[in-house]
Amino acid sequence: MNLRPRRLRKSSYIRSLCKENTLTSSDFIFPLFVRKGEGIKEEISSMPGQFRYSVDTLLEEVDVIYKLGIKAVLIFGLSDVKDDNCKEALDDNGIVQESVKRIKKKYPELCVMTDVCVCAYTSHGHCGIIHDKYVENDATLGLLSGMAVSHARAGADFVAPSAMMDFQVAAIREGLDECGFKTTGILAYSAKYYSSFYGPFRDAANSSPQFGDRASYQMDPANVKEAIKEMDLDVNEGADMIMVKPALSYLDIIREAQQGFDVPIVAYNVSGTYSMIKAAAKQGWINETACMMEMLLSIKRAGANMIITYFAKDAIKQLN
Ligand code: PBG
């Protein structure tokens, strides 16, 4: 009776005491794009403020984010040589492997994660082996597992399979264990939707499918139960953490994940949602910083334990 919610909003001190959710510097994982070469730092036109690095400039960037207090990075390898056997992806001296080795040598405690998918390496841009225009599930598993083992050998703390092949987590866990990488973890892109919000990323990674689309392996945006099934399978196959991707249009799925599974829940604040905010802010239509923080907080509030975001640096600067 006579409950007045505004009593709890009376002053900034009271509001801060009553805050239910907060962002901290340990919430963020920062994605990084790396390619062969030297002295490269090219801005991705559809993702202002994000760059493609060569290993040397990547290390300079890692120094910046390390000093800001970011605890984890997610490495994406880019390839100029498109080859459907993905030799480069499996090469222990490949660009991702080189980056991981150099980062771990200089910053041993920084958590280094690597994306495990072949779409940036294949000529057709699909996430697996193609046969008769169809992405072959089981034929792709060996590639993904080999890639993951190679990343582990380089020193990756977590490998993050994003190809959406059935049994990819089991295949990778088996590969890692057989090769003695029992402490290398798996962050599974479990509920990865067939989303149009990946557009700018595909620009960045030059990884757009050259025919067809990814609807036969990524999930239908209409579905919830399917996400729960995917997450359940991945946890049972040995995923240490599971991911919901994209985060923003799938906050309900993040909530389901947090309530349904006893592993850390990671949410990917994908490229399209980064670029939308950047573009609108450039027009002067929205306040970039305020919208960014509100968006990240909503992902946390929904139930994410960690957020992969291109905004990680900007957000931490705000928190500091
Ligand atoms: C690779 C992969 C993609 C993203 C992360 N890993 C692209 C895709 O599936 O097409 C998208 C990330 C983003 O949009 O920020 N399969």
Side-chain angles (χ1 to χ4, degrees), residues 197-217:
F197 288 105
Y198 308 151
F201 173 97
R202 292 181 191 169
D203 250 17
N206 184 17
S207 65
S208 294
Q210 298 302 301
F211 65 87
D213 57 37
R214 303 209 204 290
S216 80
Y217 42 105

Side-chain angles (χ1 to χ4, degrees), residues 35-42 52-58:
R35 55 174 299 176
K36 282 225 159 88
E38 237 188 271
I40 297 170
K41 182 180 175 181
E42 42 186 40
R52 298 185 195 90
Y53 298 96
S54 48
V55 181
D56 53 335
T57 56
L58 182 82

